[in-house]
DNA sequence: GCCAACGTTGGC
DNA sequence: GCCAACGTTGGC
């Protein structure tokens, strides 16, 4: 567990055709279901803390980019879809006693006036080392440095 | 639609 | 434990 009380920053990806920032705005809060990657799971389980701020990223979109801000709204708990036989995220190896997939709730914070396109993010010298802009990076839940977060916010105005 | 890069699976 | 094959992600 992360014992340090300072705020951390994150980025989560979603395809807007499946779940966009507008969906989150309408729902106000949602369980971030369906993450089936261990590294992303570990980030949600071990590192994210209630109140941390999250860049909400639209992938496979026109354009792809950061669409707004969300917030960590719960402690980690078992992703209910792993137990649901009718869900595309069902995992036969998971049990209630030993869940495999852990998630957090995310709540809506704000939508950017304009999507901050990946192209713009890649151009900015301060964002060269973001996990997002690394070649081949596919992580759907990833850490963002405070400086990177602040740079993104400034660019979004 | 293409395809590079990545993570996972499973044979050995 | 290695690594080829496969499925997925996600930019373009």
């Amino acid at each position: 567990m992360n014992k340090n009380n300072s705020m951390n920053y994150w980025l989560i990806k979603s395809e807007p055709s499946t779940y966009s920032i507008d969906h989150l705005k309408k729902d106000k809060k949602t369980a971030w279901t369906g993450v089936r990657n261990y590294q992303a799971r570990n980030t949600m389980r071990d590192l994210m803390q209630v109140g941390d701020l999250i860049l909400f990223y639209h992938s496979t979109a026109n354009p792809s980019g950061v669409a707004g801000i969300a917030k960590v709204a719960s402690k980690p708990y078992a992703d209910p879809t792993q137990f649901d036989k009718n869900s595309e995220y069902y995992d036969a190896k998971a049990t209630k006693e030993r869940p495999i997939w852990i998630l957090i709730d995310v709540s809506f914070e704000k939508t950017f006036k304009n999507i901050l396109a990946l192209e713009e993010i890649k151009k900015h010298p301060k964002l060269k080392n973001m996990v997002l802009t690394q070649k081949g990076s596919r992580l759907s839940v990833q850490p963002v440095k405070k400086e990177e977060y602040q740079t993104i916010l400034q660019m979004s105005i």
Side-chain angles (χ1 to χ4, degrees):
Chain A
M1 288 294 258
N2 184 358
K3 299 295 187 195
N4 120 26
N5 284 326
S6 68
M7 162 124 33
N8 290 301
Y9 301 88
W10 311 100
L11 179 147
I12 60 176
K13 296 179 183 174
S14 185
E15 296 196 19
S17 57
T18 305
Y19 197 88
S20 72
I21 190 94
D22 292 333
H23 290 110
L24 182 61
K25 184 176 187 177
K26 189 156 67 91
D27 293 344
K28 295 190 173 63
K29 186 171 116 168
T30 192
W32 204 244
T33 56
V35 173
R36 291 297 179 268
N37 169 282
Y38 289 109
Q39 202 177 341
R41 177 204 67 181
N42 293 350
T43 298
M44 291 196 284
R45 186 190 62 191
D46 303 335
L47 301 175
M48 288 174 128
Q49 300 182 92
V50 175
D52 284 355
L53 292 166
I54 305 171
L55 299 172
F56 195 103
Y57 181 85
H58 283 175
S59 60
T60 318
N62 263 312
S64 292
V66 177
I69 309 290
K71 190 150 84 171
V72 178
S74 79
K75 296 197 164 174
Y77 64 97
D79 182 340
T81 63
Q82 70 194 303
F83 308 124
D84 178 2
K85 282 204 168 81
N86 298 316
S87 169
E88 60 176 311
Y89 301 121
Y90 176 68
D91 189 334
K93 295 192 291 295
T95 64
K96 298 261 168 124
E97 293 71 29
R98 287 182 172 271
I100 298 171
W101 304 108
I102 306 295
L103 53 64
I104 45 98
D105 290 344
V106 305
S107 60
F108 176 78
E109 201 66 19
K110 71 177 277 191
T111 303
F112 288 169
K113 281 205 186 68
N114 301 294
I115 299 243
L116 180 58
L118 178 61
E119 191 186 357
E120 299 301 317
I121 294 171
K122 280 182 170 169
K123 274 189 204 161
H124 198 292
K126 279 190 177 168
L127 302 177
K128 276 212 162 49
N129 293 320
M130 276 189 84
V131 176
L132 179 73
T133 53
Q134 301 314 299
K135 191 179 180 185
S137 170
R138 311 189 315 189
L139 254 191
S140 65
V141 177
Q142 56 179 256
V144 173
K145 293 194 185 74
K146 184 174 187 180
E147 187 186 36
E148 294 165 347
Y149 179 87
Q150 288 169 343
T151 302
I152 298 261
L153 274 208
Q154 285 163 20
M155 291 172 78
S156 76
I157 294 169

